[in-house]
Amino acid sequence: QVMLVESGGGSVQAGGSLRLSCATSRITGCMGWFRQAPGKEREGVAAISLSTYYADSVKGRFTISQDKAKNTVYLQMNSLKPEDTAMYYCAARLYWPCGLERDFDHWGQGTQVTVSS
């Protein structure tokens, strides 16, 4: 079992920045961030293994990273837009290959991000 706890969400104006953190019991070979807005399906935002993977909508604005010494995965979000408003979830995938289209095995409870215009 992999435990995941997200933090760092909040409310910010458009153009602002937030950094989400995901404290985990262990970093697996593939860690990811997903989001779900009200009335919409969950979508992959970013994932990291030996490579990084990003949704087209966040490329150039979001950066995923991990600190294995701290068992923490981060999502730095810059130039935030109102359409980035969603609940953000950290997830762990136990097996290769990695990618946003893959099934993830363990999920956190989420942290809310709200971007106002």
Side-chain angles (χ1 to χ4, degrees), residues 40-92:
K40 295 187 177 181
E41 292 188 355
R42 186 175 63 198
E43 63 172 342
V45 175
I48 184 167
S49 57
L50 296 178
S51 301
T52 54
Y53 309 83
Y54 294 96
D56 288 343
S57 58
V58 307
K59 280 181 182 177
R61 300 188 298 123
F62 290 12
T63 302
I64 188 171
S65 62
Q66 59 188 12
D67 185 334
K68 293 185 177 181
K70 295 182 178 180
N71 281 341
T72 303
V73 181
Y74 302 98
L75 184 68
Q76 178 66 44
M77 306 187 294
N78 299 329
S79 302
L80 283 161
K81 305 175 181 180
E83 51 263 44
D84 294 319
T85 295
M87 185 71 78
Y88 282 72
Y89 299 91
C90 180

Side-chain angles (χ1 to χ4, degrees), residues 4 6 20 22 32-37 42-43 45-46 75 86-92 106-112:
L4 304 150
E6 303 94 335
L20 305 184
C22 172
W33 285 96
F34 293 76
R35 67 186 181 187
Q36 187 167 20
R42 186 175 63 198
E43 63 172 342
V45 175
L75 184 68
M87 185 71 78
Y88 282 72
Y89 299 91
C90 180
H106 301 282
W107 295 83
Q109 294 299 306
T111 185
Q112 178 68 39

